[in-house]
Amino acid sequence: MARLFGTDGVRGIANSELTPELAFKLGKAGATVLTSEIHKPKILVARDPRISGSMLEAALIAGIMSVGADALIAGVIPTPAVAFLTRYYTADAGVMISASHNSVEFNGIKFFDCRGFKLPDAVEDQIEGLIASDEMPCPTGTDIGRRIPIKSAVRDYMDFLLSTIDVRLDGIKIVVDCANGAASDIAPRLFEELGAEVFPYYFMPDGTDINKNCGSTHPERIFELVRETGADIGLAFDGDADRLIACDERGVEIDGDHILAICGGMLKKEGRLQKNTIVGTVMSNMGLELFARKNSILFEKTAVGDRYVLEKMLESNYSIGGEKSGHIIFLEHNTTGDGILTALQLLRAKVTEKKEMSELAAVMQNLPQILVNIKVDNSKKTLYKTDANILAQINRADQILSGRGRTLIRASGTEPLIRVMLEGNDIQEINTLAIAIAKAIETACDGKIL
């Protein structure tokens, strides 16, 4: 049987790959593994607003209660809120039902331990093993768990976010794109409480429109809205608000790499950049490395995935790390990527530096980068490592770009995609090479270039 857990929990098409039956089993097994030595454990449960969330939530909660654990119901809140509130409420574990930036037909279930950290592979394997064996407790009578609503979850999370910033935002105009997701009820109110003038968009979810032509994966609209409103900054979150893509006052994108440069530089100036290091991934633009070198900052790379960034940060006690996609971790404040927290730190940099966002973002220059996605069947996602024609195109690109660019091919951990990324000084050259590799993958894998 294929492994249930991917790079970010269990994810799939709701009611087809991720069924209520599987959610029930994950609730049982997760509660059993994560709370095995506690008499009456508490598991925090939350979700994003997508239409399948209520269905999967009901099944998951039933599984949790069936093994004797209480389910603390936080409702619709961001993923990073689960990481924080699990600690804040001294729960024994937390579970988020969300497919993050994916479209509405997808959903996912991800677990956090009592400290608010995502689970290591070994613990996920234990959960999978229990599901396979079905050897879990089955209490009766008063030993069955309870469903306990937490009415203050949103306010408690907002108060935490407010505690991470020591400046006001009076006079700043902000366009906020909530992706019709979990940030919709929180982000606009939070920025208004800090004194900003807020122009909210995509903040009235109906369950079917999450991430639909909006949010951090479709930031083009927010670029236009910033120019139309004369705002100082645009902020686009994804469906579960664990990532942020911003733009400056001209509507020019500020991606995760630029955010790392701006905020990492701010931490260095303030003497808060632990071990003088920023953590990125193999997908980080080479411009971030050049920024770090110019500013005498060390730069560490990990595999793609915020869990790997976090592992490196914990291993070496670093304070900031993240991905180009907008997952940024401020370990001083939270244990996972947090889009709203990241927005606050970015705004803090604007206020303390007294600069326009375009000036702040100018500290880093991107090298030209091409990213091509090829949709393939999940069973063929690793074929690029062995197919002779694909390898020939990759080797050709490596030879041409040797010493002045790079090639990176990887399978997505959350979607049925193979990603082809090339970086170099000549945009036409790397585009031609990327398309050649993508066509080879498309042919070998019966895929489709998107």
Side-chain angles (χ1 to χ4, degrees), residues 169-329:
L169 305 179
D170 299 290
I172 297 177
K173 294 182 179 181
I174 305 174
V175 172
V176 181
D177 176 352
C178 297
N180 292 315
S184 297
D185 184 44
I186 295 175
R189 280 200 288 152
L190 186 78
F191 299 127
E192 285 178 349
E193 287 186 19
L194 285 166
E197 183 180 356
V198 179
F199 302 88
Y201 293 88
Y202 308 107
F203 68 110
M204 300 179 70
D206 64 10
T208 68
D209 52 4
I210 191 168
N211 299 313
K212 187 175 181 180
N213 300 320
C214 59
S216 64
T217 50
H218 299 280
E220 302 82 13
R221 180 60 179 140
I222 201 173
F223 304 160
E224 297 172 353
L225 291 167
V226 165
R227 291 190 287 266
E228 290 172 11
T229 59
D232 299 297
I233 187 173
L235 305 170
F237 305 105
D238 65 335
D240 67 337
D242 66 350
R243 66 169 74 181
L244 168 75
I245 294 295
C247 71
D248 67 20
E249 73 282 359
R250 304 167 302 168
V252 175
E253 182 174 3
I254 299 174
D255 63 16
D257 288 344
H258 280 86
I259 294 170
L260 285 172
I262 294 167
C263 293
M266 175 179 67
L267 292 175
K268 181 180 174 65
K269 288 179 183 177
E270 296 175 347
R272 297 192 294 129
L273 185 63
Q274 293 279 53
K275 297 189 176 178
N276 195 40
T277 299
I278 293 173
V279 181
T281 76
V282 293
M283 289 292 284
S284 297
N285 192 279
M286 287 179 69
L288 181 56
E289 294 184 61
L290 296 175
F291 158 82
R293 196 177 307 157
K294 182 179 179 181
N295 290 273
S296 302
I297 294 173
L298 302 175
F299 182 72
E300 293 248 12
K301 282 185 186 179
T302 74
V304 174
D306 61 331
R307 66 185 298 170
Y308 303 115
V309 172
L310 179 61
E311 284 176 7
K312 174 60 70 173
M313 293 175 70
L314 291 171
E315 175 188 305
S316 302
N317 193 31
Y318 297 141
S319 51
I320 186 172
E323 300 182 278
K324 185 179 180 66
S325 61
H327 279 115
I328 310 295
I329 301 170

Side-chain angles (χ1 to χ4, degrees), residues 90-211:
T90 62
D92 304 296
V95 194
M96 181 67 182
I97 302 167
S98 173
S100 189
H101 60 284
N102 291 150
S103 52
V104 66
E105 68 270 23
F106 290 90
N107 216 325
I109 294 174
K110 65 183 84 174
F111 289 89
F112 293 87
D113 67 18
C114 63
R115 301 168 300 162
F117 291 117
K118 293 178 183 178
L119 305 184
D121 290 346
V123 178
E124 291 178 344
D125 289 342
Q126 281 184 269
I127 293 173
E128 287 202 24
L130 267 185
I131 290 174
S133 69
D134 201 27
E135 295 177 358
M136 287 172 271
C138 191
T140 58
T142 58
D143 290 330
I144 292 173
R146 297 177 184 271
R147 185 184 189 279
I148 304 173
I150 304 295
K151 296 181 180 180
S152 63
V154 168
R155 186 68 253 177
D156 290 337
Y157 176 56
M158 288 179 66
D159 287 343
F160 155 70
L161 290 171
L162 289 170
S163 75
T164 69
I165 186 170
D166 56 0
V167 298
R168 295 278 301 171
L169 305 179
D170 299 290
I172 297 177
K173 294 182 179 181
I174 305 174
V175 172
V176 181
D177 176 352
C178 297
N180 292 315
S184 297
D185 184 44
I186 295 175
R189 280 200 288 152
L190 186 78
F191 299 127
E192 285 178 349
E193 287 186 19
L194 285 166
E197 183 180 356
V198 179
F199 302 88
Y201 293 88
Y202 308 107
F203 68 110
M204 300 179 70
D206 64 10
T208 68
D209 52 4
I210 191 168
N211 299 313

Side-chain angles (χ1 to χ4, degrees), residues 286 398-406 425:
M286 287 179 69
D398 285 340
Q399 290 172 5
I400 292 173
L401 295 175
S402 179
R404 56 188 183 88
R406 63 187 180 115
N425 290 316

Side-chain angles (χ1 to χ4, degrees), residues 337-411:
D338 188 325
I340 303 177
L341 172 61
T342 299
L344 289 174
Q345 303 311 306
L346 193 59
L347 286 160
R348 182 178 180 274
K350 173 176 172 54
V351 173
T352 56
E353 295 280 342
K354 299 179 181 178
K355 294 178 179 178
E356 298 288 351
M357 291 309 305
S358 58
E359 191 177 355
L360 288 175
V363 298
M364 175 195 151
Q365 300 298 320
N366 272 331
L367 265 68
Q369 195 176 75
I370 293 293
L371 178 63
V372 183
N373 292 319
I374 307 95
K375 187 173 184 179
V376 301
D377 187 88
N378 278 322
S379 64
K380 297 180 179 180
K381 282 170 68 172
T382 60
L383 194 59
Y384 71 90
K385 297 179 180 179
T386 57
D387 181 85
N389 290 331
I390 299 173
L391 291 173
Q393 290 296 333
I394 294 172
N395 290 334
R396 175 173 172 267
D398 285 340
Q399 290 172 5
I400 292 173
L401 295 175
S402 179
R404 56 188 183 88
R406 63 187 180 115
T407 303
L408 178 65
I409 319 296
R410 55 176 287 270

